[in-house]
Each structure stands twice: as C-alpha cells, then as structure tokens.
Amino acid sequence: ARFETETYQQIVEAVATEEDAARHLRIEPGSPVLKTTDLYMVSGGHPAGLYVTFYDPAHICISTVPPSYKAPS
C-alpha cells in the first residue's frame, strides 16, 4: 500500500545521551547529543511513522530549506 504524507513535524532538541544511544554512538552516557523526533501523518490525521534519532554533534550539520523557497531555474 502507498500512503501520501499529509503533514510532517520534526522536533530537534539538545539532550543528555541515554545509555543505549551512548553505546551505539560510542560516547559516554550523559554526553550532549542532538535528538530528533520526526512524526509523519497521513490523511485523517493518522500517524504513519514516528522516528527518534540521536546524533553526536561532533559529526552532524543541520541545514533546512524553508517550505516557500523555490530553487532558481
């Protein structure tokens, strides 16, 4: 089945690393990391996906493009 994503929400937070995430990132528990929570919704407001990801800030760069941005032709 194919779903059309109707809405998308992303939350980015600076948090202390939880033990499980620290092990996977090979850093000390409690170290600062970026945590993203992504929620995808389909028609009718039904959730289609929830993803939580932890990033070591020494190895990430976040770049965004505003929804109203149109690339030059």
Side-chain angles (χ1 to χ4, degrees):
R2 184 169 178 204
F3 298 98
E4 285 278 324
T5 301
E6 192 171 89
T7 60
Y8 165 74
Q9 178 184 18
Q10 181 179 61
I11 300 169
V12 179
E13 307 171 88
V15 299
T17 314
E18 299 169 1
E19 196 168 315
D20 190 48
R23 183 170 34 84
H24 287 289
L25 292 171
R26 298 181 183 147
I27 59 177
E28 290 295 316
S31 297
V33 293
L34 291 177
K35 174 185 176 183
T36 63
T37 305
D38 300 286
L39 177 61
Y40 293 86
M41 305 292 275
V42 294
S43 63
H46 299 287
L50 175 66
Y51 304 91
V52 178
T53 309
F54 295 91
Y55 298 96
D56 181 345
H59 302 286
I60 186 168
C61 174
I62 296 176
S63 177
T64 62
V65 176
S68 60
Y69 177 77
K70 296 206 187 302
S73 317

